[in-house]
Amino acid sequence: MRKRLSALAAAGSAMVVLASGSAATAAAENYGDYSRMFSRSAGQYWSGSQVGGQWAWSPQDSSTSDISWGDPAQWPPAYAERFVRRGDWVELEGYSGGQDKPVTQVQRVTSEKIGDAGCGNMTDLPSDGGRQHYVRWTIPSAGYCLDASGTITSPAAGTVVHFRHRQRWTAPASCSNAYFTGRTCLSQHEQWWDDNGHAYSLRIDRTQYIARGLGMAFAIRQTVPSTWAADGRYYWSW
């Protein structure tokens, strides 16, 4: 989930509960069990009494899937993120001009580090063609931190954006939101810096909860660029 979601932020808040202890999980659990990235899955999240936004996965093949985020009243959105599973990682390839369309903005890292859940003990992460290591495929028993810096290049527009993306992923734990209880979630706390038409600065600071068997945006808690909250309300396959 990247910065486009922030354009949908509106006033409103709701409750999310995340237990401090890890839920018991099977060793074979993977990111697909939570995100549903390799199924034609979708969901809608609400902020108070208003729709906050919508997401949908569109698998391209057995290792590649696009996800779109946007306003359901103006669907489909004009861009999608392309993710590729390579070994035990899900990597970010870039951004297209819409779901199922070719990548037009290529994201590549110049530096990547991995560390513990508190972003301590950071060490270099070997590059895989410059694609960003976004999340582990097999769910580890402990949280971890990823810190990537690089560029987003749009050859057609002749633009280069510099970015930094720091993520803190937790181990699975019990969670609830305004519409569902008794679920199990991963959480992703992400911070995003860039210089896209402005001085290089922090543009995003938020936590997303991803629920096993439901998918993305089970809860979103944002502090930058504004304080905003939303909860996943509807989930379906298409």
Side-chain angles (χ1 to χ4, degrees):
M1 183 173 65
R2 196 165 67 103
K3 62 182 180 179
R4 299 295 182 90
L5 278 180
S6 62
L8 297 169
S13 63
M15 177 178 67
V16 63
V17 178
L18 182 65
S20 58
S22 295
T25 56
E29 272 200 325
N30 60 59
Y31 181 68
D33 297 327
Y34 288 78
S35 65
R36 301 180 67 206
M37 71 174 288
F38 287 116
S39 65
R40 290 163 69 95
S41 57
Q44 195 174 98
Y45 45 96
W46 283 53
S47 180
S49 60
Q50 297 181 327
V51 176
Q54 184 169 298
W55 59 269
W57 283 107
S58 179
Q60 305 297 297
D61 55 39
S62 61
S63 63
T64 305
S65 192
D66 290 354
I67 187 170
S68 294
W69 298 85
D71 182 348
Q74 300 180 43
W75 199 266
Y79 97 110
E81 298 169 281
R82 177 154 296 172
F83 288 94
V84 180
R85 182 190 169 194
R86 292 177 59 85
D88 203 40
W89 285 97
V90 175
E91 300 175 353
L92 180 57
E93 177 70 33
Y95 312 92
S96 71
Q99 210 161 56
D100 308 326
K101 295 182 179 179
V103 168
T104 56
Q105 298 180 64
V106 179
Q107 180 165 315
R108 291 293 181 263
V109 297
T110 53
S111 171
E112 280 189 297
K113 293 182 181 295
I114 186 170
D116 59 37
C119 292
N121 302 307
M122 301 294 284
T123 59
D124 290 335
L125 190 59
S127 176
D128 184 12
R131 287 175 294 270
Q132 181 185 349
H133 291 80
Y134 195 87
V135 63
R136 288 187 179 276
W137 178 253
T138 303
I139 306 299
S141 59
Y144 59 99
C145 177
L146 298 169
D147 199 337
S149 296
T151 59
I152 301 169
T153 303
S154 178
T159 59
V160 177
V161 172
H162 300 86
F163 78 90
R164 179 187 176 192
H165 190 205
R166 185 167 68 177
Q167 305 180 83
R168 296 182 185 184
W169 289 93
T170 66
S174 299
C175 58
S176 300
N177 73 4
Y179 307 103
F180 296 90
T181 60
R183 297 289 172 167
T184 302
C185 289
L186 304 175
S187 74
Q188 173 206 32
H189 176 217
E190 62 176 343
Q191 294 172 295
W192 176 276
W193 294 258
D194 69 33
D195 59 359
N196 188 14
H198 48 73
Y200 188 83
S201 57
L202 178 66
R203 310 300 292 175
I204 292 289
D205 193 329
R206 66 172 162 235
T207 300
Q208 177 190 188
Y209 298 84
I210 304 171
R212 183 202 298 155
L214 290 178
M216 311 298 287
F218 182 76
I220 300 170
R221 300 294 180 264
Q222 177 179 284
T223 58
V224 175
S226 61
T227 300
W228 184 69
D231 291 77
R233 186 169 185 176
Y234 302 115
Y235 295 88
W236 66 92
S237 297
W238 59 279

